[in-house]
Amino acid sequence: MGTKRQKHLTENLEENKQLSLDFGEYSDKRSPAPEIISHILPAKPTVVFNTYWRFAAERQRIFFKKLENAPIPWTDDSILSTYKFTNAYRASDRVSQYLIRNVIYQNNRPSSPNEVFFRIILFKIFNKMETWELLENKLGSIIYAEYSFERYDKVLTDAIQSGQTIYSAAYIMPSGGTSFGHTAKHRNHLKLIELMMASELPQKLVDAKNMHQGFDLIREYPTIGDFLAYQFITDVNYSEITNFSEMEFVIPGPGALDGIRKCFSDLGGLNEPEIIKFMAEIQDSEFERLGLTFQSIWGRKLQLIDCQNLFCEVDKYARIKHPDIAGISGRSRIKQRYSGKTKPVDYWYPPKWGINPAIEEYRTAKAHTQFKCK
């Protein structure tokens, strides 16, 4: 036992040593924001590497402008003001905010792991606020103890037949027909949820020791690949079911792989998850090097999931800013334009993060300042 434990500790030390890279004077000196960094060992960045940090800082600046109810325009960046991009922090995005406040932490809903997980996975399968509200309006409270395949199926089938779109376009859910036998996609997904609940997945997640183990548990189910399993375990981790660190495990999605390819001409022997960890580790020194002010969400640094998402968003941004830098997919356009017509978000994060009181203090201080200016 002692030999195995020592071997495990040695392997962990070697892994941490690999990810804690020494850049010599590079991280200690502020440069005049060069467009190309000539030397970062072991990876070799492109011009998009600097853009990654500039994008993150400016997108977060826009977040605070909106939070303060500042008048448009919120940015001088023509790309950011024209096209739609997610926030620097995943949990700040509209759908994640809705999930956290309206699905997970509603006081009038049961709070057992079974009930909370059921709500999370039901919401995330469709990932669409309108679908959740449709189910609530037609069925009343979303409670697993009262779940019926026939009732949920009827609501969703009626919606589809009336021309409604019940799935978000944010990512594609596999149909699951070969696994569950239904021709209707939503019926297979209801059966997937039933399988998760019947096999006691919520309790298994409670007992999981870390995010990687939780990811593995979700990954075992039909139609769930690496990307979905990572997204789902991140959403579960917003709740009290788990309390994993978001700085220990990451899985890059297809968009992030494109962004990594654009930011680095050579990964220097690292794999993509290690590159994402690398970015999280050096975030402070990079913002300082480029003379950028990055305003975190009340002391919470960019987590691995955020750095992963930023690669995805920079892939899109670079299609306009750096059209000569190729990714993997070969996409050259950004589909979604920013309308600016959405309702303001009342930002609120998982209570276990401990930042919600700071948000209230920030709002109060800003409101007081604006009142004095008038």
Side-chain angles (χ1 to χ4, degrees):
M1 290 290 290
T3 304
K4 288 184 178 179
R5 176 174 173 80
Q6 185 62 42
K7 181 180 179 183
H8 179 68
L9 290 172
T10 303
E11 288 173 350
N12 283 345
L13 286 171
E14 287 300 316
E15 180 181 357
N16 290 336
K17 183 179 180 182
Q18 182 185 13
L19 296 178
S20 300
L21 305 170
D22 182 7
F23 302 111
E25 295 185 346
Y26 169 76
S27 294
D28 299 324
K29 291 184 178 180
R30 177 182 293 183
S31 71
E35 287 301 318
I36 298 179
I37 306 165
S38 61
H39 190 59
I40 295 182
L41 293 174
K44 296 179 181 178
T46 70
V47 62
V48 186
F49 179 84
N50 278 355
T51 296
Y52 178 100
W53 303 110
R54 292 190 178 113
F55 173 91
E58 187 64 12
R59 185 62 187 85
Q60 188 66 355
R61 195 172 79 88
I62 293 170
F63 167 82
F64 276 99
K65 288 285 186 182
K66 294 167 74 173
L67 181 66
E68 297 162 13
N69 292 317
I72 293 176
W74 297 312
T75 180
D76 295 328
D77 188 309
S78 61
I79 302 174
L80 281 168
S81 60
T82 302
Y83 299 98
K84 185 178 179 180
F85 295 92
T86 64
N87 280 282
Y89 288 87
R90 180 185 189 268
S92 297
D93 285 330
R94 185 173 297 272
V95 174
S96 292
Q97 280 289 305
Y98 188 93
L99 169 71
I100 293 166
R101 171 160 264 180
N102 296 86
V103 177
I104 298 176
Y105 288 102
Q106 275 287 1
N107 292 330
N108 61 348
R109 294 197 176 102
S111 59
S112 69
N114 261 18
E115 292 288 352
V116 175
F117 177 82
F118 175 72
R119 294 200 301 270
I120 292 171
I121 200 64
L122 177 67
F123 178 84
K124 288 303 297 182
I125 287 288
F126 301 99
N127 205 36
K128 195 174 178 68
M129 293 179 281
E130 292 82 0
T131 301
W132 176 265
E133 291 171 357
L134 170 71
L135 289 167
E136 276 196 316
N137 291 336
K138 296 292 185 180
L139 301 172
S141 296
I142 305 296
I143 298 176
Y144 175 62
E146 301 172 358
Y147 168 79
S148 160
F149 175 86
E150 289 73 22
R151 292 173 64 225
Y152 280 65
D153 173 41
K154 185 179 187 310
V155 173
L156 296 170
T157 298
D158 289 347
I160 293 169
Q161 290 176 347
S162 68
Q164 296 182 52
T165 301
I166 64 172
Y167 289 90
S168 165
Y171 49 76
I172 298 172
M173 285 293 301
S175 67
T178 56
S179 299
F180 299 101
H182 291 279
T183 55
K185 184 176 177 178
H186 72 274
R187 290 173 182 158
N188 293 318
H189 291 150
L190 290 177
K191 289 300 179 182
L192 170 63
I193 295 172
E194 289 179 13
L195 177 61
M196 290 176 166
M197 300 303 294
S199 59
E200 301 182 344
L201 177 57
Q203 186 57 50
K204 291 175 182 176
L205 291 173
V206 170
D207 297 335
K209 296 179 180 179
N210 51 52
M211 183 174 273
H212 196 165
Q213 192 175 76
F215 162 87
D216 287 340
L217 288 167
I218 295 175
R219 181 68 176 81
E220 292 176 357
Y221 288 86
T223 76
I224 305 297
D226 287 352
F227 176 74
L228 282 179
Y230 180 54
Q231 297 300 312
F232 289 168
I233 193 59
T234 299
D235 291 309
V236 169
N237 202 44
Y238 291 153
S239 75
E240 300 295 331
I241 295 174
T242 61
N243 192 25
F244 303 139
S245 168
E246 289 188 359
M247 294 296 282
E248 294 177 353
F249 177 72
V250 65
I251 292 288
L257 294 176
D258 253 333
I260 292 170
R261 174 72 63 88
K262 290 182 179 180
C263 286
F264 295 93
S265 61
D266 186 338
L267 301 188
L270 299 180
N271 60 36
E272 287 81 1
E274 288 170 336
I275 286 290
I276 295 170
K277 292 178 182 179
F278 160 79
M279 299 294 271
E281 286 180 358
I282 65 171
Q283 59 184 284
D284 290 340
S285 62
E286 289 308 295
F287 288 128
E288 181 181 359
R289 177 183 65 83
L290 292 168
L292 298 169
T293 299
F294 181 81
Q295 191 171 358
S296 69
I297 51 171
W298 297 277
R300 184 179 175 86
K301 290 185 178 183
L302 293 169
Q303 305 291 293
L304 296 184
I305 183 70
D306 306 315
C307 293
Q308 190 273 160
N309 277 13
L310 281 168
F311 271 121
C312 184
E313 295 307 290
V314 166
D315 163 50
K316 294 190 297 185
Y317 185 89
R319 295 173 198 173
I320 307 299
K321 183 71 174 179
H322 307 289
D324 55 317
I325 304 293
I328 299 171
S329 68
R331 293 174 182 168
S332 59
R333 295 186 301 110
I334 305 175
K335 292 181 179 179
Q336 292 184 304
R337 289 181 172 263
Y338 181 68
S339 66
K341 296 179 181 179
T342 53
K343 294 180 181 179
V345 176
D346 186 14
Y347 290 98
W348 193 83
Y349 297 88
K352 59 188 173 182
W353 291 2
I355 64 177
N356 289 325
I359 299 175
E360 291 305 314
E361 292 176 8
Y362 182 87
R363 286 193 181 114
T364 301
K366 285 294 178 181
H368 181 67
T369 301
Q370 291 172 358
F371 177 77
K372 287 180 67 176
C373 291
K374 294 178 180 179

